[in-house]
Amino acid sequence: MIGVRTRPGPGLADRLEAKAARLAAAHAEAMLRTRRADPGRWRKARLLWPLSTGDR
């Protein structure tokens, strides 16, 4: 018989929701910094790669 082990923790929908929230937050901050003409927006990894940096 085939056994299946699942990892305890958030499911697919929860993980997708968290990714979408990180993308939305990064986009909102990037747009705000763009309107302010802040050159620092290009130096913030969390804005350039929101899914690859930060909490996982």
Side-chain angles (χ1 to χ4, degrees):
M1 186 167 290
I2 298 174
V4 176
R5 285 190 229 168
T6 60
R7 292 185 293 172
L12 176 63
D14 294 329
R15 291 191 310 266
L16 289 175
E17 182 181 359
K19 282 184 178 185
R22 283 198 311 262
L23 283 173
H27 180 71
E29 185 176 349
M31 289 297 104
L32 176 66
R33 289 177 181 269
T34 298
R35 283 193 300 268
R36 292 181 179 172
D38 181 6
R41 70 185 182 270
W42 300 111
R43 295 183 192 104
K44 305 247 184 250
R46 71 176 187 273
L47 298 178
L48 297 173
W49 303 286
L51 298 180
S52 300
T53 59
D55 297 330
R56 283 192 161 227

